Structure formats: structure tokens, C-alpha cells
Amino acid sequence: MYIGRIVAFGMTKANKVCAMYRVSSRSFPNRMAVENGGKIAIVPRPGAESDLAKNPYISYNCLRIAGEWAIATNGSQTDPITEKIAMGMPVRDAIALGLLAMDYEKDSLDTPRVVAVAGRISKLGYLGIVRKDGILVREFALEPGVARYISTYEKNAPCDTNVDRDFDAACQDCAAHYVVNGGVFADFEQPVTSAAAMDNGDGFSLATVIC
């Protein structure tokens, strides 16, 4: 099944909190996640820079940290949401405001914007989406061995059916691989690249994968 871009949060069986992002793409597969200055961006692979002229939405910061929170999204909403959370705005409100202000992407598919936020201290997670037909944001309590996700297509609502109940990852690199080929994520087609942030006890450690 092809479900497009995926954002997720989870808690490992050892109670480590993480946030994950995966690019799945049929139109622009020549992309990679790169870490730069404590955040992760999606950029064209070398030689594919001309893709930016075809679609301005394909390059953006996809994962950032604000205090106890790791924020993963599929677009430029990452930055305003992160900045509002860093300023002290409640996470739910920051997600809703960021999604409402940015709206869905005005491309040929009216691509939704999706968000996952994970709190390593509060042990709370949030999923949000803005689609052409509405905006939804939901809070969840993190549970050991459980990952929750939302995607741009098909699995595009923050609900109790978009769940992996056997989630586990020993490190941030393992989490970045898991969202590509672990658990329920292995059933989703066209992986391109991924990113993850995992609680290291003092903050979050970051990792990327190129498929």
C-alpha cells in the first residue's frame, strides 16, 4: 500500500521516547535526509537539485527539537510549530496554529501537511493533519511498545487504528530503520529516506537513513 509521507511517535519497550519521519514518494524519489545543526532536513540527492524547480515542497526541515519535544513533519510547517513550542505555547495549539496558517500544500494532489510531536518528559504524543477538507489534532499518552502514526494518504487521520503495538528500537538509528521496514511500516511502499529522534536521557539523539 502506498500512503505517502509518514510521521510517527513511539515509546520503546525500554520506555525511550522517539519521533520518526519517512519520505515515501513516487514522483520525487531522489531525496535524502541530512542532519545539520541539531535538526534534520530533506534535500535533493546530488544531481537532482533541478527537482526543486519542479516542486518547491520537496525540500524542508523535517525534524527539530524544542526542549523536551521532538517535532516531525512533512513540510515547512516544522519551523513555525517548533518555534511556537519553544516559546511556551501548548503543543496542541502550536500544531493547530501552524497547520492552519500553512494549510495543505497547493500542488496537484492537494497534499496534506502532517505532524507528530513526542514529549520525552511528559510522555505525551500528538498527531495532526490539515487536509483540504479539514484540520485534526489529537493528544495520546505514550505507551511502552506502541508507535502511532499518520500519513498524507489513506492513513490520514489521528485515530486508534494507525498503531504498531509491537514497536521497539534500541537506538535512534534503529528507529530510523524501523519506520522504513519494521512492523506495520514494512507494508508501506516506495520508501525514500527517513529520520528519527530518540531520548538519550539528557535530550534527543538524531539519525537518518537513505533507502
Side-chain angles (χ1 to χ4, degrees):
M1 177 187 293
Y2 179 72
I3 65 172
R5 269 65 70 206
I6 304 166
V7 292
F9 62 73
M11 180 185 284
T12 71
K13 295 176 182 179
N15 298 315
K16 291 186 176 182
V17 172
C18 68
M20 297 166 283
Y21 177 58
R22 169 177 147 179
V23 175
S24 308
S25 181
R26 293 178 292 203
S27 303
F28 293 95
N30 294 317
R31 287 182 282 170
M32 59 184 182
V34 296
E35 183 179 350
N36 181 21
K39 56 190 174 184
I40 297 176
I42 303 299
V43 299
R45 296 186 190 185
E49 292 85 357
S50 62
D51 284 350
L52 286 169
K54 302 172 187 175
N55 187 327
Y57 297 110
I58 65 171
S59 183
Y60 46 86
N61 288 326
C62 70
L63 201 156
R64 289 186 61 183
I65 308 300
E68 70 150 312
W69 304 99
I71 300 96
T73 96
N74 71 320
S76 53
Q77 68 269 25
T78 305
D79 295 327
I81 291 172
T82 300
E83 289 156 11
K84 292 297 184 185
I85 292 173
M87 291 170 60
M89 179 177 285
V91 175
R92 185 203 64 170
D93 297 355
I95 295 171
L97 180 62
L99 291 177
L100 184 63
M102 300 296 293
D103 210 356
Y104 63 92
E105 295 179 0
K106 304 306 188 292
D107 57 10
S108 61
L109 298 173
D110 295 330
T111 300
R113 293 182 187 267
V114 291
V115 181
V117 179
R120 68 181 192 89
I121 297 172
S122 64
K123 302 299 191 284
L124 292 174
Y126 295 81
L127 294 175
I129 185 169
V130 60
R131 310 186 305 241
K132 190 174 183 179
D133 63 349
I135 180 171
L136 298 164
V137 182
R138 186 175 174 188
E139 176 187 288
F140 299 87
L142 298 179
E143 307 168 65
V146 175
R148 296 180 180 272
Y149 65 95
I150 191 169
S151 65
T152 51
Y153 312 119
E154 303 294 337
K155 307 287 187 177
N156 62 351
C159 61
D160 291 322
T161 58
N162 299 340
V163 182
D164 185 320
R165 296 195 178 276
D166 194 29
F167 169 67
D168 207 14
C171 63
Q172 63 272 17
D173 296 279
C174 302
H177 279 95
Y178 193 97
V179 76
V180 172
N181 54 26
V184 300
F185 301 105
D187 295 329
F188 303 140
E189 300 172 354
Q190 304 292 329
V192 171
T193 190
S194 67
M198 179 169 282
D199 180 12
N200 61 25
D202 296 313
F204 285 98
S205 296
L206 306 181
T208 62
V209 167
I210 300 174
C211 303

